[in-house]
Structure formats: structure tokens, C-alpha cells
């Protein structure tokens, strides 16, 4: 556990998903050899999760969105292990691994993503009566279930359960299913219902962005998809979803028993077991507490980014609705963390604040919806949404581009930085005296 007095500071990144992988690259570049960077993951592979809805209808094979991380990390001079974390001990500056060993650190960056809380609703999830697109192995299993479903079409129920904080993929998957069913010429045999905890269609956990309410309602209407908002799912049986529709006063307004032959709802998230219940580190749901610099207020050498970060909901809703952490928002956290750790290594206080700007592309196969929110949490300087076939093409291009970044070990090529500057989309807020 101890290290030589002249050893470099150890920066440990916990997690190797979208945020953790890019964070490792960017921190390595920002510290310029002044620190040892290590990554702890529970897998050797990086999966491009935004493509999971495509995997679930066989528009993508899993290997097409996979990157083997050990060779890339080795090329970047980053120590990597896929043993996985058992428990974080922030008071001792160490992470206990699943094999019983520990890794000490000078700085810890928590980027674990969430635990999927399927168990909070009876019969929910891949081990119950519904499928999932939250992980790539889940999506691959969903593809097998969908193939069997298409041999004997029945109703479909898609959406997001109470407490969910990621709504874009739910809309995306519902409309991808519509497109694929039409391609297979069986859409006319499949009634579809969209079930969501949002107070209205297009809320997205963000009180809407631009006209997402109108755009998404229009898409659902055009595609003959019914919906239930303010929905609280009580349980799933084999082939039946039991849903309570809640009124503005919190009382049950209507009960829906929705039959299905295929169903995917996004679950609520919570913190992973390695951090859950650590006083001063997490909130009651196990999400990591962080200040505006992404630094924990109680353990000053612990930073966090991505879905694992605690962000309070925008306001009260009849059914619990979380705030999403979108891809660009996470990348802005990555850049802030990298700059702030570099500042600390220079003996300065962290002063960079992530912009939390959101750029989102929701693909429907034959079109899609895009939105830009600057910042993601209102009130906003930019509040824009649009739709069209161009969104599908943009999503395909972004998938290829992002996977290339991960494979090459580069967090932000110069042309990406230039393009963002030209569009006026920044990852960091302008520093003010209050931030210093």
C-alpha cells in the first residue's frame, strides 16, 4: 500500500464506460507525465451503449460497438485492471478490489455508472418478464426475444419506470421498434403503448428542450403509439404490465393492465455496491456528492463524473423523475475533472466548472429528434430541438467517430474542439472570480 517518497501521485479512475474511458485519456494528457494514471473496471471491453437499441433489433452486432481496452490503455501508459471494485474506502485513500487486493490513490475519479434497480418492481427486467437495452449483453438478449416475438406478434409496451433518469433511449427504442416492425411488415399486428413516469411526453427529466413535447407527441401519434404519462408501474406478470396513472395531487387516477408480448422499460438507477451507503460520499440513493468542480465536498481528493453523480430533480412531479446525464454533459464533466486535478498537481485550487451543455441525437431508423440545451438544466441560453432524416445519419456518424476516439486513446481531437468552438458549444464555463 505504501509507495516511495519520490513516486508520482496516483490518479485512480473507477469505471471504464463512456465517462471513465475518456477521463483516463484526458487526465493522462492533462497531467503530462506528472502522475500515474490507473483504471479499475469490471470488464476488459468498452461498449458504445448509445447503440444498444440498434443491437436489440439486429441493426448492429455487438462486436461492432466493442473496443478491447487493455491494448489501448497500455499504449497510453495507463495501468488497467478488470478485476472490479468491491468497496471504496475514501477515508483510507484506497479501493478494495474483488480479488481481495487494494489499490491506493492520491486522487480518485469515480465514473462507475449506475446499478440498475430492476428489483424495485416485481417481475421487472431481464431476470423477470421484460427486456433491457441498458447494457449491451441485455440488448443482445433482447434481440433474441424480439426475433421470437415477431413469429407470433402481440402488443408491445415500451417506456421508462418511476425514478428513471434516462428517457431519450425509451423514445428512441419505441420508434426504432415501429420502424423495424414496418420493415418486417407486421406493424399492423402490434398495438404499442408508451408508458412513462414523465408528467408529459417530451419532458425528458428536463422540463422539455425546445419543442420536444410537440415533436415527440407528433411522432407517437403519426406512428399510432398510445401513451400513459405520470405512470407508476406496480408489477409485471408474464405478458402483463400493471400501471397506475397518477393525478397532479398524487392520487391514483386510473389503473392500466397492459398486455404485451414484448416489453422494455428503462429502470431507476442507484449507486453501485462499491460506493453505496458511504457517509459523506453518497446521497441516500448511492449517487456521488459533488460540488460545482465535480469534487466531493467531504473527501477533497475524490472527483466524480457521469451517471453516478448526484443531481437533484428539477422540481416535484406526481411520479419521481430523475435528471439525465447525457453524453456531452458527461464529457464536459470529464474536461473539468482533468483540468482541476492538473491544477491541484500544480498547487492550485480547482477552478474549472463543467458547462453541463447537452447535445442529444435520438435515432428512429428513418429519422430522429435532436436537441441542444445550454446548459442542460434550465433556465437556458440555448433551448433548441429539431427532427428529420438527418438525425439518423448524424447518429451513425457519431457512433463511428466516438468509437474511433476510444480505439485511438484520444479524448478530443483538434478538429472536434474546433467544430465545437465554431458552434459555440463549450465544455467548460467561463471562469469568474467566484469560481477561483
Amino acid at each position: 500500500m505504501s509507495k516511495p517518497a519520490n513516486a508520482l501521485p496516483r490518479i485512480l479512475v473507477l469505471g471504464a464506460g463512456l465517462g471513465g474511458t475518456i477521463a483516463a485519456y484526458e487526465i493522462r494528457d492533462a497531467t503530462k507525465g506528472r502522475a500515474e494514471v490507473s483504471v479499475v473496471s469490471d470488464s476488459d471491453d468498452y461498449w458504445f451503449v448509445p447503440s444498444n437499441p440498434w443491437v436489440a433489433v439486429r441493426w448492429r452486432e455487438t462486436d461492432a460497438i466493442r473496443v478491447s481496452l487493455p491494448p489501448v490503455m497500455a499504449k497510453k501508459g495507463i495501468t488497467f485492471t478488470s478485476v472490479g471494485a468491491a468497496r471504496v474506502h475514501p477515508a483510507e485513500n484506497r479501493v478494495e478490489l474483488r480479488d481481495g487486493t487494494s489499490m491506493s490513490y492520491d486522487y480518485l475519479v469515480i465514473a462507475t455508472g449506475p446499478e440498475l434497480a430492476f428489483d424495485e418492481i416485481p417481475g421487472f427486467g431481464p431476470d423477470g418478464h421484460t427486456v433491457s437495452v441498458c447494457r449491451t449483453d441485455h440488448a443482445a438478449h433482447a434481440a433474441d426475444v424480439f426475433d421470437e416475438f415477431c413469429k407470433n406478434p402481440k402488443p408491445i409496451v415500451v417506456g421508462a419506470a418511476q425514478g428513471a433518469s434516462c428517457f431519450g433511449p425509451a423514445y428512441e427504442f419505441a420508434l426504432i421498434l415501429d420502424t423495424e416492425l414496418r420493415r418486417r411488415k407486421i406493424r399492423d399486428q402490434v398495438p404499442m403503448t408508451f408508458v412513462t413516469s414523465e408528467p408529459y411526453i417530451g419532458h425528458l427529466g428536463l422540463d422539455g428542450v425546445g419543442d420536444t413535447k410537440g415533436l415527440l407527441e407528433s411522432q407517437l401519434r403519426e406512428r399510432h403509439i398510445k401513451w400513459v404519462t405520470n405512470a407508476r408501474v406496480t408489477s409485471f406478470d408474464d405478458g402483463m404490465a400493471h400501471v397506475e396513472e397518477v393525478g397532479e395531487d398524487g392520487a391514483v387516477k386510473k389503473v392500466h393492465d397492459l398486455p404485451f408480448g414484448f416489453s422494455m422499460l428503462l429502470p431507476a438507477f442507484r449507486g453501485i455496491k462499491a460506493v453505496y451507503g458511504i457517509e459523506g460520499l453518497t446521497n441516500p440513493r448511492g449517487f456521488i456528492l459533488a460540488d460545482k468542480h465535480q469534487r466531493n465536498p467531504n473527501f477533497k481528493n475524490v472527483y466524480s463524473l457521469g451517471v453516478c453523480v448526484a443531481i437533484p430533480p428539477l422540481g416535484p412531479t406526481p411520479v419521481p423523475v430523475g435528471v439525465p446525464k447525457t453524453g456531452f454533459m458527461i464529457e464536459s464533466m470529464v474536461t473539468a475533472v482533468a483540468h482541476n486535478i492538473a491544477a491541484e498537481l500544480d498547487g492550485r485550487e480547482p477552478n474549472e466548472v463543467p458547462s453541463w451543455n447537452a447535445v442529444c441525437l435520438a435515432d428512429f431508423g428513418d429519422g430522429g429528434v435532436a436537441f441542444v440545451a445550454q446548459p442542460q438544466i434550465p433556465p437556458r441560453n440555448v433551448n433548441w430541438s429539431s427532427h428529420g432524416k438527418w438525425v439518423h445519419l448524424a447518429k451513425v456518424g457519431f457512433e463511428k467517430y466516438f468509437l474511433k476516439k476510444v480505439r485511438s486513446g484520444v479524448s478530443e481531437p483538434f478538429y472536434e474542439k474546433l467544430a465545437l468552438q465554431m458552434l459555440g458549444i463549450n465544455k467548460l464555463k467561463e471562469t469568474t472570480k467566484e469560481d477561483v
Side-chain angles (χ1 to χ4, degrees), residues 99-112:
D99 63 0
T101 63
S102 289
M103 293 182 69
S104 62
Y105 60 81
D106 294 283
Y107 297 96
L108 176 65
V109 179
I110 301 176
T112 59

Side-chain angles (χ1 to χ4, degrees), residues 209-212 360 370-373 380 382-387 390:
V209 180
D211 188 30
T212 50
C360 184
F371 67 78
V372 176
R380 303 184 178 109
V382 176
N383 192 44
W384 172 89
S385 59
S386 184
H387 71 289
W390 67 270

Side-chain angles (χ1 to χ4, degrees), residues 150-417:
C150 289
K151 296 175 184 177
N152 182 25
K154 295 179 180 179
I156 283 179
V157 175
V158 180
Q162 58 268 26
S165 58
C166 187
F167 296 93
Y171 288 101
E172 190 172 46
F173 192 52
L175 296 167
I176 283 172
L177 286 172
D178 171 82
T179 300
E180 179 61 18
L181 289 167
R182 283 187 281 111
R183 289 177 180 175
R184 298 192 188 204
K185 302 189 184 306
I186 57 173
R187 178 67 180 89
D188 61 312
Q189 303 174 52
V190 182
M192 290 181 66
T193 305
F194 189 82
V195 174
T196 178
S197 54
E198 300 162 275
Y200 59 83
I201 292 298
H203 180 280
L204 302 173
L206 297 169
D207 201 12
V209 180
D211 188 30
T212 50
K213 182 179 189 294
L215 288 175
L216 289 169
E217 279 191 358
S218 176
Q219 287 290 326
L220 295 181
R221 283 195 187 95
E222 286 180 12
R223 295 165 187 257
H224 307 287
I225 300 173
K226 297 179 180 179
W227 65 78
V228 181
T229 54
N230 282 328
R232 181 169 60 216
V233 182
T234 56
S235 65
F236 293 93
D237 294 328
D238 186 9
M240 187 72 71
H242 302 285
V243 179
E244 294 177 341
E245 185 177 349
V246 177
E248 293 299 319
D249 59 356
V252 176
K253 185 167 112 180
K254 189 175 181 181
V255 174
H256 302 264
D257 292 323
L258 302 173
F260 65 83
F262 182 86
S263 180
M264 192 294 298
L265 270 74
L266 299 174
F269 295 159
R270 61 181 173 232
I272 67 167
K273 290 181 174 63
V275 299
Y276 200 97
I278 299 176
E279 186 175 355
L281 183 67
T282 66
N283 71 6
R285 286 289 290 180
F287 293 109
I288 310 300
L289 301 171
D291 63 16
K292 63 184 178 182
H293 304 297
Q294 301 299 138
R295 184 169 66 167
N296 183 265
N298 302 298
F299 302 100
K300 298 292 189 179
N301 62 340
V302 176
Y303 288 83
S304 59
L305 56 93
V307 180
C308 68
V309 175
I311 300 177
L314 293 185
T317 52
V319 179
V321 170
V323 174
K325 291 94 171 182
T326 57
F328 190 82
M329 178 187 186
I330 293 171
E331 289 195 70
S332 79
M333 295 180 186
V334 166
T335 297
V337 168
H339 281 69
N340 286 333
I341 290 178
E344 290 206 61
L345 291 176
D346 289 337
R348 296 180 284 112
E349 278 294 302
N351 71 331
E352 297 292 0
V353 179
S355 65
W356 284 16
N357 290 334
V359 181
C360 184
L361 302 170
D363 169 61
F364 307 154
D366 56 357
V369 169
F371 67 78
V372 176
Q374 298 185 30
Q376 179 164 296
I377 308 299
R380 303 184 178 109
N381 296 314
V382 176
N383 192 44
W384 172 89
S385 59
S386 184
H387 71 289
K389 292 184 178 180
W390 67 270
V391 179
H392 169 71
L393 299 174
K395 183 72 177 279
V396 172
F398 179 72
E399 175 200 57
K400 296 181 184 303
Y401 169 70
F402 200 91
L403 283 167
K404 183 179 179 181
K405 285 206 304 183
V406 174
R407 291 187 178 109
S408 64
V410 178
S411 65
E412 187 183 57
F414 75 91
Y415 46 85
E416 177 184 339
K417 188 177 297 185

Side-chain angles (χ1 to χ4, degrees), residues 42-57:
D42 58 2
S43 169
D44 279 345
D45 296 321
Y46 169 89
W47 303 94
F48 188 67
V49 171
S51 293
N52 285 352
W54 292 344
V55 172
V57 292

Side-chain angles (χ1 to χ4, degrees), residues 10-206:
R10 292 172 175 168
I11 303 170
L12 181 58
V13 179
L14 187 57
L18 184 152
T21 300
I22 297 300
Y25 300 161
E26 194 155 338
I27 290 168
R28 182 67 179 173
D29 292 341
T31 57
K32 293 181 171 61
R34 292 174 293 150
E36 173 191 328
V37 180
S38 300
V39 174
V40 174
S41 179
D42 58 2
S43 169
D44 279 345
D45 296 321
Y46 169 89
W47 303 94
F48 188 67
V49 171
S51 293
N52 285 352
W54 292 344
V55 172
V57 292
R58 301 202 186 281
W59 294 358
R60 285 291 182 280
E61 294 300 321
T62 56
D63 280 350
I65 61 169
R66 181 181 70 88
V67 178
S68 178
L69 290 175
V72 185
M73 295 291 179
K75 181 181 176 182
K76 291 288 290 183
I78 298 169
T79 305
F80 180 87
T81 178
S82 57
V83 171
R87 193 67 171 169
V88 173
H89 299 275
E92 303 171 25
N93 294 331
R94 70 181 178 93
V95 174
E96 179 185 348
L97 305 183
R98 291 178 182 171
D99 63 0
T101 63
S102 289
M103 293 182 69
S104 62
Y105 60 81
D106 294 283
Y107 297 96
L108 176 65
V109 179
I110 301 176
T112 59
E115 182 175 273
L116 308 172
F118 289 115
D119 59 297
E120 295 180 347
I121 300 174
F124 192 19
D127 295 330
H129 303 298
T130 67
V131 300
S132 165
V133 295
C134 293
R135 293 183 355 196
T136 304
D137 60 333
H138 288 174
H141 170 68
D144 293 336
V145 176
F146 183 67
D147 284 343
E148 288 301 310
F149 163 84
C150 289
K151 296 175 184 177
N152 182 25
K154 295 179 180 179
I156 283 179
V157 175
V158 180
Q162 58 268 26
S165 58
C166 187
F167 296 93
Y171 288 101
E172 190 172 46
F173 192 52
L175 296 167
I176 283 172
L177 286 172
D178 171 82
T179 300
E180 179 61 18
L181 289 167
R182 283 187 281 111
R183 289 177 180 175
R184 298 192 188 204
K185 302 189 184 306
I186 57 173
R187 178 67 180 89
D188 61 312
Q189 303 174 52
V190 182
M192 290 181 66
T193 305
F194 189 82
V195 174
T196 178
S197 54
E198 300 162 275
Y200 59 83
I201 292 298
H203 180 280
L204 302 173
L206 297 169

